[in-house]
Coordinates of all heavy atoms in Angstrom, one line a residue:
T1 N -11.1 30.0 -55.1 CA -10.3 30.4 -54.1 C -10.7 29.8 -52.8 O -11.8 29.3 -52.6 CB -10.2 31.9 -54.0 OG1 -11.5 32.4 -53.6 CG2 -9.8 32.6 -55.3
K2 N -9.9 29.9 -51.7 CA -10.2 29.3 -50.4 C -11.4 30.0 -49.8 O -12.3 29.3 -49.3 CB -9.0 29.4 -49.5 CG -8.0 28.3 -49.6 CD -7.0 28.4 -48.5 CE -6.1 27.2 -48.5 NZ -5.2 27.2 -47.4
A3 N -11.4 31.3 -49.8 CA -12.6 32.0 -49.2 C -13.9 31.7 -49.9 O -14.9 31.5 -49.2 CB -12.3 33.5 -49.3
N4 N -13.8 31.5 -51.2 CA -15.0 31.2 -52.0 C -15.5 29.8 -51.6 O -16.7 29.6 -51.4 CB -14.7 31.3 -53.5 CG -16.0 31.5 -54.3 OD1 -17.1 31.6 -53.8 ND2 -15.8 31.6 -55.6
L5 N -14.6 28.9 -51.5 CA -15.0 27.5 -51.1 C -15.5 27.4 -49.7 O -16.5 26.7 -49.4 CB -13.7 26.6 -51.3 CG -13.3 26.3 -52.7 CD1 -12.0 25.5 -52.7 CD2 -14.3 25.6 -53.5
E6 N -14.9 28.2 -48.8 CA -15.3 28.2 -47.4 C -16.7 28.8 -47.3 O -17.6 28.2 -46.6 CB -14.4 29.0 -46.5 CG -14.7 29.1 -45.1 CD -14.7 27.7 -44.4 OE1 -14.1 26.7 -44.9 OE2 -15.2 27.7 -43.2
L7 N -17.0 29.9 -48.0 CA -18.3 30.5 -48.0 C -19.4 29.5 -48.6 O -20.5 29.4 -48.0 CB -18.3 31.8 -48.8 CG -19.5 32.7 -48.8 CD1 -19.7 33.1 -47.3 CD2 -19.3 33.9 -49.6
R8 N -19.0 28.8 -49.6 CA -20.0 27.9 -50.2 C -20.2 26.7 -49.3 O -21.4 26.3 -49.1 CB -19.4 27.3 -51.5 CG -20.4 26.6 -52.4 CD -19.9 26.2 -53.7 NE -19.6 27.4 -54.5 CZ -18.6 27.5 -55.4 NH1 -17.8 26.5 -55.6 NH2 -18.4 28.6 -56.0
R9 N -19.2 26.2 -48.6 CA -19.4 25.1 -47.6 C -20.3 25.6 -46.5 O -21.2 24.8 -46.1 CB -18.0 24.7 -47.0 CG -18.1 23.5 -46.1 CD -16.8 23.3 -45.3 NE -16.4 24.4 -44.5 CZ -16.9 24.6 -43.3 NH1 -17.9 23.9 -42.8 NH2 -16.5 25.7 -42.6
I10 N -20.1 26.8 -46.0 CA -21.0 27.3 -44.9 C -22.4 27.4 -45.3 O -23.4 27.0 -44.6 CB -20.5 28.6 -44.4 CG1 -19.1 28.4 -43.6 CG2 -21.5 29.3 -43.4 CD1 -18.4 29.7 -43.3
E11 N -22.6 27.9 -46.6 CA -24.0 28.0 -47.1 C -24.7 26.7 -47.3 O -25.9 26.5 -47.0 CB -24.0 28.8 -48.4 CG -23.7 30.3 -48.3 CD -23.5 31.0 -49.6 OE1 -23.4 30.3 -50.6 OE2 -23.4 32.2 -49.6
E12 N -23.9 25.7 -47.7 CA -24.5 24.3 -47.9 C -24.8 23.7 -46.6 O -25.9 23.1 -46.4 CB -23.5 23.4 -48.6 CG -23.3 23.8 -50.1 CD -22.2 23.0 -50.8 OE1 -21.5 22.2 -50.1 OE2 -22.0 23.2 -52.0
E13 N -24.0 23.9 -45.5 CA -24.3 23.4 -44.2 C -25.5 24.0 -43.6 O -26.4 23.4 -43.0 CB -23.1 23.6 -43.2 CG -22.0 22.7 -43.4 CD -20.8 23.0 -42.5 OE1 -20.9 24.0 -41.7 OE2 -19.9 22.2 -42.5
E14 N -25.7 25.4 -43.8 CA -26.9 26.1 -43.3 C -28.1 25.5 -44.1 O -29.1 25.3 -43.4 CB -26.7 27.6 -43.6 CG -25.8 28.2 -42.7 CD -25.6 29.7 -43.0 OE1 -26.3 30.2 -43.9 OE2 -24.8 30.3 -42.3
A15 N -28.0 25.4 -45.4 CA -29.2 24.9 -46.1 C -29.6 23.5 -45.8 O -30.8 23.2 -45.7 CB -28.9 25.0 -47.6
S16 N -28.6 22.6 -45.5 CA -29.0 21.2 -45.1 C -29.2 21.0 -43.7 O -29.7 19.9 -43.3 CB -27.8 20.3 -45.6 OG -26.7 20.6 -44.9
G17 N -28.9 22.0 -42.8 CA -29.2 21.9 -41.4 C -28.1 21.0 -40.7 O -28.3 20.6 -39.6
Q18 N -27.0 20.8 -41.3 CA -25.9 20.0 -40.8 C -25.0 20.8 -39.8 O -24.2 20.2 -39.1 CB -25.0 19.5 -41.9 CG -25.7 18.5 -42.8 CD -24.8 18.0 -43.9 OE1 -23.7 18.6 -44.1 NE2 -25.2 17.1 -44.7
N19 N -25.2 22.0 -39.7 CA -24.3 22.8 -38.8 C -24.8 22.8 -37.4 O -25.1 23.9 -36.8 CB -24.2 24.3 -39.4 CG -23.0 25.0 -38.9 OD1 -22.2 24.4 -38.2 ND2 -22.9 26.3 -39.2
K20 N -25.0 21.7 -36.8 CA -25.5 21.5 -35.5 C -24.5 21.7 -34.4 O -24.9 21.8 -33.2 CB -26.2 20.1 -35.3 CG -27.2 19.8 -36.4 CD -28.5 19.3 -35.9 CE -29.4 19.0 -37.0 NZ -30.5 19.7 -37.1
N21 N -23.2 21.7 -34.7 CA -22.2 21.9 -33.6 C -22.2 23.4 -33.1 O -21.7 23.6 -32.0 CB -20.8 21.5 -34.2 CG -20.7 20.0 -34.4 OD1 -21.5 19.3 -33.8 ND2 -19.8 19.6 -35.3
N22 N -22.6 24.3 -34.0 CA -22.6 25.7 -33.5 C -23.7 26.0 -32.6 O -24.9 25.5 -32.8 CB -22.7 26.6 -34.7 CG -21.4 26.7 -35.5 OD1 -20.4 26.3 -35.1 ND2 -21.5 27.2 -36.7
K23 N -23.4 26.7 -31.5 CA -24.5 27.0 -30.5 C -25.4 28.1 -31.1 O -26.6 28.1 -30.8 CB -23.8 27.6 -29.3 CG -24.7 27.8 -28.1 CD -23.9 28.2 -26.9 CE -24.8 28.4 -25.7 NZ -24.1 28.9 -24.6
Y24 N -24.9 28.9 -32.0 CA -25.7 30.0 -32.5 C -25.9 29.8 -34.0 O -25.0 29.4 -34.7 CB -25.0 31.3 -32.2 CG -24.8 31.6 -30.8 CD1 -23.5 31.4 -30.2 CD2 -25.8 31.9 -29.9 CE1 -23.3 31.6 -28.9 CE2 -25.6 32.1 -28.6 CZ -24.3 31.9 -28.0 OH -24.1 32.1 -26.7
S25 N -27.0 30.3 -34.5 CA -27.2 30.2 -36.0 C -26.5 31.4 -36.6 O -26.3 32.5 -36.0 CB -28.7 30.3 -36.3 OG -29.3 31.5 -35.9
V26 N -26.1 31.2 -37.9 CA -25.4 32.3 -38.6 C -26.4 33.0 -39.4 O -27.2 32.4 -40.2 CB -24.3 31.7 -39.5 CG1 -23.6 32.8 -40.3 CG2 -23.3 31.0 -38.6
I27 N -26.5 34.3 -39.3 CA -27.4 35.1 -40.1 C -26.6 35.7 -41.3 O -25.6 36.3 -41.1 CB -27.9 36.3 -39.3 CG1 -28.5 35.9 -37.9 CG2 -29.0 37.1 -40.1 CD1 -29.7 34.9 -38.0
S28 N -27.1 35.4 -42.5 CA -26.4 35.8 -43.7 C -26.3 37.3 -43.9 O -27.1 38.0 -43.3 CB -27.0 35.1 -44.9 OG -28.3 35.8 -45.2
Y29 N -25.4 37.7 -44.7 CA -25.2 39.1 -45.0 C -26.5 39.7 -45.6 O -26.9 40.8 -45.3 CB -24.0 39.3 -45.9 CG -23.7 40.7 -46.3 CD1 -23.0 41.6 -45.4 CD2 -24.2 41.2 -47.5 CE1 -22.8 42.9 -45.8 CE2 -24.0 42.6 -47.8 CZ -23.2 43.4 -47.0 OH -23.0 44.7 -47.3
E30 N -27.1 38.9 -46.5 CA -28.3 39.4 -47.2 C -29.4 39.6 -46.2 O -30.1 40.6 -46.4 CB -28.7 38.4 -48.3 CG -27.8 38.3 -49.5 CD -26.6 37.4 -49.2 OE1 -26.6 36.6 -48.2 OE2 -25.7 37.4 -50.0
K31 N -29.6 38.7 -45.3 CA -30.7 38.9 -44.3 C -30.4 40.1 -43.4 O -31.4 40.8 -43.0 CB -30.9 37.6 -43.5 CG -31.7 36.6 -44.1 CD -32.2 35.6 -43.1 CE -33.1 34.6 -43.8 NZ -33.6 33.6 -42.8
R32 N -29.2 40.3 -43.1 CA -28.8 41.5 -42.2 C -29.2 42.8 -43.0 O -29.7 43.7 -42.4 CB -27.4 41.4 -41.9 CG -27.0 40.3 -40.9 CD -25.5 40.2 -40.7 NE -25.2 39.1 -39.9 CZ -24.7 39.1 -38.7 NH1 -24.6 40.3 -38.1 NH2 -24.5 38.0 -38.0
V33 N -28.8 42.8 -44.2 CA -29.1 44.0 -45.0 C -30.6 44.2 -45.1 O -31.2 45.3 -45.0 CB -28.5 43.9 -46.4 CG1 -28.9 45.1 -47.3 CG2 -27.0 44.0 -46.3
Q34 N -31.4 43.1 -45.4 CA -32.8 43.2 -45.5 C -33.4 43.7 -44.2 O -34.3 44.5 -44.2 CB -33.4 41.8 -45.8 CG -33.2 41.4 -47.2 CD -33.8 40.0 -47.5 OE1 -33.8 39.2 -46.6 NE2 -34.2 39.8 -48.7
L35 N -32.9 43.2 -43.0 CA -33.4 43.6 -41.7 C -33.2 45.1 -41.5 O -34.1 45.8 -41.1 CB -32.7 42.8 -40.6 CG -33.0 43.2 -39.2 CD1 -34.4 42.8 -38.8 CD2 -32.0 42.7 -38.2
I36 N -32.0 45.6 -41.8 CA -31.7 47.0 -41.6 C -32.6 47.8 -42.5 O -33.1 48.9 -42.1 CB -30.2 47.3 -41.8 CG1 -29.4 46.6 -40.7 CG2 -29.9 48.7 -41.9 CD1 -28.0 46.5 -40.9
S37 N -32.8 47.4 -43.7 CA -33.6 48.1 -44.7 C -35.1 48.2 -44.2 O -35.7 49.3 -44.3 CB -33.5 47.4 -46.1 OG -34.4 48.0 -47.0
L38 N -35.6 47.1 -43.8 CA -37.0 47.1 -43.3 C -37.2 48.0 -42.1 O -38.2 48.7 -42.0 CB -37.4 45.6 -43.0 CG -37.7 44.7 -44.1 CD1 -38.0 43.3 -43.6 CD2 -38.9 45.2 -45.0
A39 N -36.2 47.9 -41.2 CA -36.3 48.6 -39.9 C -36.1 50.1 -40.2 O -36.7 51.0 -39.5 CB -35.3 48.1 -38.9
S40 N -35.3 50.5 -41.1 CA -35.0 51.9 -41.3 C -35.8 52.6 -42.3 O -36.4 53.7 -42.0 CB -33.5 52.1 -41.6 OG -33.2 51.5 -42.8
S41 N -36.0 52.0 -43.5 CA -36.6 52.8 -44.6 C -38.1 52.4 -44.7 O -38.9 53.3 -45.1 CB -35.9 52.5 -45.9 OG -36.0 51.2 -46.2
K42 N -38.5 51.2 -44.3 CA -39.9 50.8 -44.5 C -40.8 51.1 -43.2 O -42.0 50.9 -43.3 CB -40.0 49.4 -44.9 CG -39.3 49.1 -46.2 CD -40.1 48.4 -47.1 CE -39.4 48.2 -48.4 NZ -40.0 47.4 -49.4
G43 N -40.1 51.5 -42.1 CA -40.8 51.8 -40.9 C -41.3 50.6 -40.1 O -42.1 50.8 -39.2
Y44 N -40.8 49.4 -40.4 CA -41.1 48.3 -39.6 C -40.4 48.4 -38.2 O -39.3 48.9 -38.1 CB -40.6 47.0 -40.2 CG -41.4 46.5 -41.4 CD1 -42.0 47.3 -42.3 CD2 -41.6 45.1 -41.6 CE1 -42.7 46.9 -43.4 CE2 -42.3 44.6 -42.7 CZ -42.9 45.5 -43.6 OH -43.6 45.0 -44.6
S45 N -41.0 47.8 -37.2 CA -40.3 47.7 -35.9 C -39.2 46.6 -36.1 O -39.4 45.8 -37.0 CB -41.3 47.3 -34.8 OG -41.7 46.0 -34.9
I46 N -38.2 46.7 -35.3 CA -37.1 45.7 -35.5 C -37.6 44.3 -35.2 O -37.3 43.4 -35.9 CB -35.9 46.1 -34.5 CG1 -35.4 47.4 -34.9 CG2 -34.9 45.0 -34.6 CD1 -34.4 48.0 -33.9
S47 N -38.5 44.2 -34.2 CA -39.0 42.8 -33.9 C -39.9 42.3 -35.0 O -39.7 41.1 -35.4 CB -39.9 42.9 -32.6 OG -39.1 43.3 -31.5
R48 N -40.7 43.1 -35.6 CA -41.5 42.7 -36.7 C -40.7 42.3 -37.9 O -40.9 41.3 -38.6 CB -42.5 43.8 -37.1 CG -43.4 43.4 -38.3 CD -44.4 44.5 -38.6 NE -45.1 44.1 -39.9 CZ -45.7 45.0 -40.6 NH1 -45.7 46.3 -40.3 NH2 -46.3 44.6 -41.7
A49 N -39.7 43.1 -38.3 CA -38.8 42.9 -39.4 C -38.1 41.6 -39.2 O -37.9 40.7 -40.1 CB -37.9 44.0 -39.6
A50 N -37.6 41.3 -38.0 CA -36.8 40.1 -37.6 C -37.7 38.9 -37.8 O -37.3 37.9 -38.4 CB -36.3 40.2 -36.2
R51 N -38.9 39.0 -37.3 CA -39.9 37.8 -37.4 C -40.2 37.5 -38.8 O -40.2 36.3 -39.2 CB -41.1 38.1 -36.6 CG -41.0 37.9 -35.1 CD -42.4 37.8 -34.5 NE -43.2 39.1 -34.7 CZ -43.2 40.2 -34.0 NH1 -42.4 40.2 -32.9 NH2 -43.9 41.2 -34.3
E52 N -40.4 38.5 -39.6 CA -40.7 38.3 -41.1 C -39.5 37.6 -41.8 O -39.7 36.9 -42.8 CB -41.1 39.6 -41.7 CG -42.4 40.0 -41.3 CD -43.1 41.0 -42.2 OE1 -42.6 41.2 -43.3 OE2 -44.1 41.6 -41.8
L53 N -38.3 37.9 -41.3 CA -37.1 37.3 -42.0 C -36.7 36.0 -41.3 O -35.7 35.4 -41.7 CB -36.0 38.3 -41.9 CG -36.2 39.5 -42.8 CD1 -35.1 40.5 -42.5 CD2 -36.2 39.2 -44.3
G54 N -37.4 35.5 -40.3 CA -37.1 34.3 -39.6 C -35.9 34.4 -38.7 O -35.2 33.4 -38.4
I55 N -35.7 35.6 -38.1 CA -34.6 35.8 -37.2 C -35.3 36.1 -35.8 O -36.4 36.7 -35.7 CB -33.8 37.1 -37.6 CG1 -33.2 36.9 -39.0 CG2 -32.7 37.4 -36.6 CD1 -32.6 38.1 -39.6
K56 N -34.6 35.7 -34.7 CA -35.1 36.0 -33.4 C -35.1 37.5 -33.2 O -34.1 38.1 -33.6 CB -34.3 35.3 -32.3 CG -34.4 33.8 -32.3 CD -33.5 33.2 -31.3 CE -33.5 31.7 -31.3 NZ -32.6 31.1 -30.3
P57 N -36.1 38.1 -32.6 CA -36.2 39.5 -32.3 C -35.0 40.0 -31.6 O -34.4 41.1 -31.9 CB -37.5 39.7 -31.5 CG -38.3 38.6 -32.0 CD -37.4 37.4 -32.2
S58 N -34.5 39.3 -30.6 CA -33.3 39.8 -29.8 C -32.1 39.8 -30.7 O -31.2 40.8 -30.6 CB -33.0 38.9 -28.6 OG -32.8 37.6 -29.1
T59 N -31.9 38.9 -31.7 CA -30.8 38.9 -32.6 C -31.0 40.1 -33.6 O -30.0 40.8 -33.9 CB -30.8 37.6 -33.4 OG1 -30.7 36.5 -32.5 CG2 -29.6 37.6 -34.4
G60 N -32.2 40.4 -34.0 CA -32.4 41.5 -34.9 C -32.1 42.8 -34.2 O -31.5 43.7 -34.9
K61 N -32.4 42.9 -33.0 CA -32.1 44.2 -32.2 C -30.6 44.3 -32.1 O -30.1 45.5 -32.3 CB -32.8 44.1 -30.9 CG -34.3 44.3 -30.9 CD -34.9 44.2 -29.5 CE -36.4 44.2 -29.6 NZ -37.1 44.1 -28.3
F62 N -29.9 43.3 -31.9 CA -28.4 43.3 -31.8 C -27.8 43.7 -33.1 O -26.9 44.5 -33.1 CB -27.9 42.0 -31.2 CG -26.4 42.1 -31.1 CD1 -25.8 42.7 -30.0 CD2 -25.6 41.4 -32.0 CE1 -24.5 42.8 -29.8 CE2 -24.2 41.5 -31.8 CZ -23.6 42.2 -30.7
I63 N -28.3 43.2 -34.2 CA -27.7 43.5 -35.5 C -27.9 45.0 -35.8 O -27.0 45.7 -36.3 CB -28.4 42.6 -36.6 CG1 -28.0 41.2 -36.4 CG2 -28.1 43.1 -38.0 CD1 -28.7 40.2 -37.3
V64 N -29.1 45.5 -35.6 CA -29.4 46.9 -35.8 C -28.6 47.8 -34.9 O -28.0 48.8 -35.3 CB -30.9 47.2 -35.7 CG1 -31.2 48.7 -35.8 CG2 -31.7 46.5 -36.8
K65 N -28.4 47.4 -33.6 CA -27.6 48.2 -32.7 C -26.2 48.2 -33.1 O -25.6 49.3 -33.1 CB -27.7 47.6 -31.3 CG -26.9 48.3 -30.2 CD -26.9 47.5 -28.9 CE -26.2 48.2 -27.8 NZ -24.8 48.7 -28.1
C66 N -25.6 47.1 -33.5 CA -24.2 47.1 -34.0 C -24.1 48.0 -35.3 O -23.1 48.7 -35.4 CB -23.8 45.7 -34.3 SG -23.5 44.7 -32.9
F67 N -25.1 48.0 -36.1 CA -25.0 48.8 -37.3 C -25.0 50.3 -37.0 O -24.3 51.1 -37.5 CB -26.2 48.4 -38.3 CG -26.2 49.3 -39.5 CD1 -25.2 49.1 -40.5 CD2 -27.1 50.2 -39.7 CE1 -25.2 49.9 -41.7 CE2 -27.1 51.0 -40.9 CZ -26.2 50.8 -41.8
R68 N -25.9 50.6 -36.0 CA -26.0 52.0 -35.6 C -24.8 52.5 -34.9 O -24.3 53.6 -35.1 CB -27.2 52.2 -34.7 CG -28.5 52.2 -35.4 CD -29.7 52.4 -34.5 NE -30.9 52.3 -35.1 CZ -32.1 51.9 -34.5 NH1 -32.1 51.7 -33.2 NH2 -33.2 51.8 -35.2
D69 N -24.2 51.6 -34.0 CA -23.1 52.0 -33.2 C -21.8 52.0 -34.0 O -20.9 52.9 -33.8 CB -22.9 51.1 -32.0 CG -24.1 51.3 -31.0 OD1 -24.8 52.3 -31.1 OD2 -24.2 50.5 -30.0
Y70 N -21.6 51.0 -34.8 CA -20.3 50.8 -35.5 C -20.3 51.0 -37.0 O -19.3 51.0 -37.6 CB -19.7 49.5 -35.1 CG -19.6 49.2 -33.6 CD1 -20.5 48.3 -33.0 CD2 -18.7 49.9 -32.8 CE1 -20.4 48.1 -31.6 CE2 -18.7 49.7 -31.5 CZ -19.5 48.8 -30.9 OH -19.5 48.6 -29.5
G71 N -21.5 51.0 -37.6 CA -21.6 51.1 -39.0 C -21.2 49.8 -39.7 O -20.9 49.9 -40.9
K72 N -21.2 48.7 -39.0 CA -20.8 47.4 -39.6 C -22.0 46.5 -39.6 O -22.8 46.5 -38.7 CB -19.7 46.8 -38.8 CG -18.4 47.5 -38.9 CD -17.3 46.8 -38.1 CE -16.0 47.5 -38.1 NZ -14.9 46.8 -37.4
I73 N -22.1 45.7 -40.7 CA -23.1 44.7 -40.8 C -22.7 43.4 -40.3 O -23.4 42.6 -39.7 CB -23.7 44.7 -42.2 CG1 -24.3 46.0 -42.5 CG2 -24.7 43.5 -42.4 CD1 -24.8 46.1 -43.9
M74 N -21.4 43.0 -40.6 CA -20.8 41.8 -40.1 C -19.4 42.1 -39.6 O -18.9 43.1 -39.8 CB -20.8 40.8 -41.2 CG -22.1 40.3 -41.8 SD -22.0 39.0 -43.0 CE -22.0 37.6 -41.9
K75 N -18.8 41.0 -39.0 CA -17.4 41.2 -38.5 C -16.6 41.4 -39.8 O -16.9 41.0 -40.9 CB -17.0 39.9 -37.9 CG -17.6 39.6 -36.5 CD -17.0 38.4 -35.9 CE -17.7 38.0 -34.6 NZ -17.2 36.8 -34.1
K76 N -15.5 42.1 -39.5 CA -14.6 42.4 -40.6 C -14.1 41.2 -41.4 O -14.2 41.2 -42.7 CB -13.3 43.2 -40.1 CG -12.4 43.7 -41.1 CD -11.2 44.4 -40.5 CE -10.3 44.9 -41.5 NZ -9.2 45.6 -40.9
T77 N -13.7 40.1 -40.8 CA -13.3 39.0 -41.5 C -14.4 38.4 -42.3 O -14.1 37.9 -43.5 CB -12.7 37.9 -40.5 OG1 -13.7 37.6 -39.6 CG2 -11.5 38.4 -39.8
S78 N -15.6 38.3 -41.8 CA -16.7 37.8 -42.6 C -17.0 38.6 -43.8 O -17.3 38.1 -44.9 CB -18.0 37.7 -41.7 OG -17.8 36.9 -40.6
C79 N -17.0 40.0 -43.6 CA -17.2 40.9 -44.8 C -16.1 40.7 -45.8 O -16.4 40.7 -47.0 CB -17.2 42.3 -44.3 SG -18.7 42.7 -43.4
Q80 N -14.9 40.6 -45.4 CA -13.8 40.4 -46.4 C -14.0 39.2 -47.2 O -13.8 39.1 -48.4 CB -12.5 40.4 -45.7 CG -12.0 41.8 -45.2 CD -10.7 41.7 -44.4 OE1 -10.3 40.6 -43.9 NE2 -10.1 42.8 -44.3
A81 N -14.4 38.1 -46.5 CA -14.6 36.8 -47.2 C -15.7 36.9 -48.2 O -15.7 36.4 -49.3 CB -14.8 35.7 -46.2
F82 N -16.8 37.6 -47.7 CA -18.0 37.7 -48.6 C -17.7 38.6 -49.8 O -18.0 38.2 -50.9 CB -19.1 38.3 -47.7 CG -20.4 38.6 -48.5 CD1 -21.2 37.5 -48.8 CD2 -20.7 39.8 -49.0 CE1 -22.4 37.7 -49.6 CE2 -21.8 40.0 -49.8 CZ -22.7 38.9 -50.1
N83 N -17.1 39.7 -49.5 CA -16.7 40.6 -50.6 C -15.7 40.0 -51.6 O -15.9 40.2 -52.8 CB -16.1 41.9 -50.1 CG -17.2 42.8 -49.4 OD1 -18.4 42.7 -49.7 ND2 -16.7 43.6 -48.5
H84 N -14.8 39.2 -51.1 CA -13.8 38.5 -51.9 C -14.5 37.5 -52.8 O -14.3 37.4 -54.0 CB -12.8 37.9 -51.1 CG -11.7 37.2 -51.9 ND1 -10.8 37.9 -52.6 CD2 -11.5 35.9 -52.1 CE1 -10.0 37.0 -53.3 NE2 -10.4 35.8 -53.0
A85 N -15.5 36.8 -52.2 CA -16.2 35.7 -53.0 C -17.1 36.4 -54.0 O -17.2 35.9 -55.1 CB -17.0 34.9 -52.0
E86 N -17.7 37.6 -53.7 CA -18.5 38.3 -54.6 C -17.8 38.8 -55.8 O -18.3 38.8 -56.9 CB -19.2 39.4 -53.9 CG -20.6 39.8 -54.3 CD -21.2 40.8 -53.4 OE1 -20.5 41.8 -53.1 OE2 -22.3 40.7 -53.1
N87 N -16.5 39.2 -55.6 CA -15.7 39.8 -56.7 C -15.1 38.8 -57.6 O -14.6 39.1 -58.7 CB -14.6 40.7 -56.1 CG -15.2 41.9 -55.4 OD1 -16.3 42.4 -55.8 ND2 -14.5 42.4 -54.4
Q88 N -15.1 37.5 -57.2 CA -14.5 36.5 -58.0 C -15.4 36.1 -59.2 O -16.5 36.1 -59.2 CB -14.2 35.2 -57.2 CG -13.1 35.5 -56.2 CD -11.8 35.8 -56.8 OE1 -11.4 35.3 -57.8 NE2 -11.1 36.7 -56.2

């Protein structure tokens, strides 16, 4: 499907480092879940958990803040594409 192909293309670009046109790096859904898990259940500080996952501490703090405030891990469109690809 289109969503599956688009997700695969983005993952390949991230892996090869070709996604240089974007000003910001894309943090995968899996890393976001790991970050929230480390920060909430394992007692890590957000900065420490972010560093261990290779994420900037300020980005980690924003991810956790959005999760606490809105209960979302990613934007709705990104989650839909991810969930759709996962179910295929």
Side-chain angles (χ1 to χ4, degrees):
T1 65
K2 273 189 173 181
N4 204 2
L5 292 174
E6 180 67 13
L7 189 61
R8 192 172 297 144
R9 182 189 63 77
I10 291 169
E11 288 173 350
E12 288 172 359
E13 284 180 355
E14 287 175 2
S16 65
Q18 292 176 354
N19 200 3
K20 304 230 184 243
N21 292 337
N22 286 344
K23 186 175 180 181
Y24 304 104
S25 61
V26 177
I27 309 300
S28 70
Y29 180 82
E30 291 84 9
K31 276 196 178 183
R32 290 169 186 256
V33 171
Q34 287 177 332
L35 174 73
I36 292 166
S37 173
L38 287 174
S40 62
S41 62
K42 300 232 177 174
Y44 285 37
S45 70
I46 297 170
S47 295
R48 178 180 173 200
R51 280 193 305 271
E52 289 199 10
L53 295 171
I55 301 171
K56 292 180 183 177
S58 60
T59 303
K61 289 176 185 178
F62 182 75
I63 291 169
V64 173
K65 179 185 182 310
C66 287
F67 179 70
R68 285 182 185 154
D69 291 350
Y70 306 110
K72 293 182 180 181
I73 295 176
M74 295 186 89
K75 290 181 182 177
K76 184 177 178 181
T77 55
S78 299
C79 286
Q80 286 175 341
F82 178 79
N83 290 335
H84 183 71
E86 212 175 47
N87 294 332
Q88 293 296 324

